[in-house]
Amino acid sequence: MALAAGLLCMTLQAQAQIFMCTDAQGHKELTDVRRNPACKLLDLPGAITEPPRKTGPLAGSAKPAAQAAGSVAPAPGAFPRVDGAEQRARDLDRRQILQDELRSEEQKLAAQRQELNEGQPERQGNERNYARYQERVAQLKDNINRTQQNVEALKREIANIR
């Protein structure tokens, strides 16, 4: 009996060790098996080295199956219900927030298009180098595309509200 307990303890201790091994090409690998003497044992405080033990009727626990399942996730019928008037108020609030965001994004898009000046924005003083000017123009175009995508997504989201 003592021999079995000692072997079990040694097995658990071996599972709790993490080694960093380096191969001939210099590739590093983390493993729980010491493959060669060059593998270094890592000291990782707070690391979880063993999976948590399962509890429940199949793992030898005294809890009944219904109690174990109930503690994991409530049944769909147990979720709180919201009455229709409150849900409509929430939907109206959500619609108003999304419409405010849509107006903000549309204003931002108009400002970005004005700054782009139909693909020919004015050069700034620090853009003596033409490549720097081209980078700024490309960035402006990317910003416009991103804002257009935001506007489209907001319109889709508003259309999905009941």
Side-chain angles (χ1 to χ4, degrees), residues 87-97 99 161:
Q87 185 62 46
R88 279 190 293 280
R90 289 180 181 181
D91 288 343
L92 287 174
D93 289 344
R94 183 168 179 239
R95 181 183 301 274
Q96 185 61 44
I97 291 168
Q99 286 175 341
I161 297 176

Side-chain angles (χ1 to χ4, degrees), residues 25-107:
Q25 290 82 23
H27 298 111
K28 295 182 180 180
E29 177 183 20
L30 295 174
T31 181
D32 61 346
V33 178
R34 180 177 233 155
R35 295 197 174 133
N36 59 43
C39 293
K40 297 179 184 175
L41 177 63
L42 298 179
D43 180 25
L44 302 173
I48 299 174
T49 55
E50 293 183 31
R53 299 191 189 274
K54 292 184 179 181
T55 60
L58 299 177
S61 162
K63 289 184 180 178
Q67 184 181 6
S71 64
V72 174
F79 288 117
R81 293 279 182 194
V82 177
D83 66 356
E86 186 173 343
Q87 185 62 46
R88 279 190 293 280
R90 289 180 181 181
D91 288 343
L92 287 174
D93 289 344
R94 183 168 179 239
R95 181 183 301 274
Q96 185 61 44
I97 291 168
L98 289 172
Q99 286 175 341
D100 290 344
E101 286 184 35
L102 179 61
R103 273 192 295 279
S104 172
E105 287 292 318
E106 286 174 340
Q107 290 172 353

Side-chain angles (χ1 to χ4, degrees), residues 116 119 136-146:
L116 186 61
R136 186 171 66 90
V137 171
Q139 184 67 37
L140 287 171
K141 289 179 181 179
D142 287 344
N143 290 342
I144 287 174
N145 285 337
R146 192 174 308 110

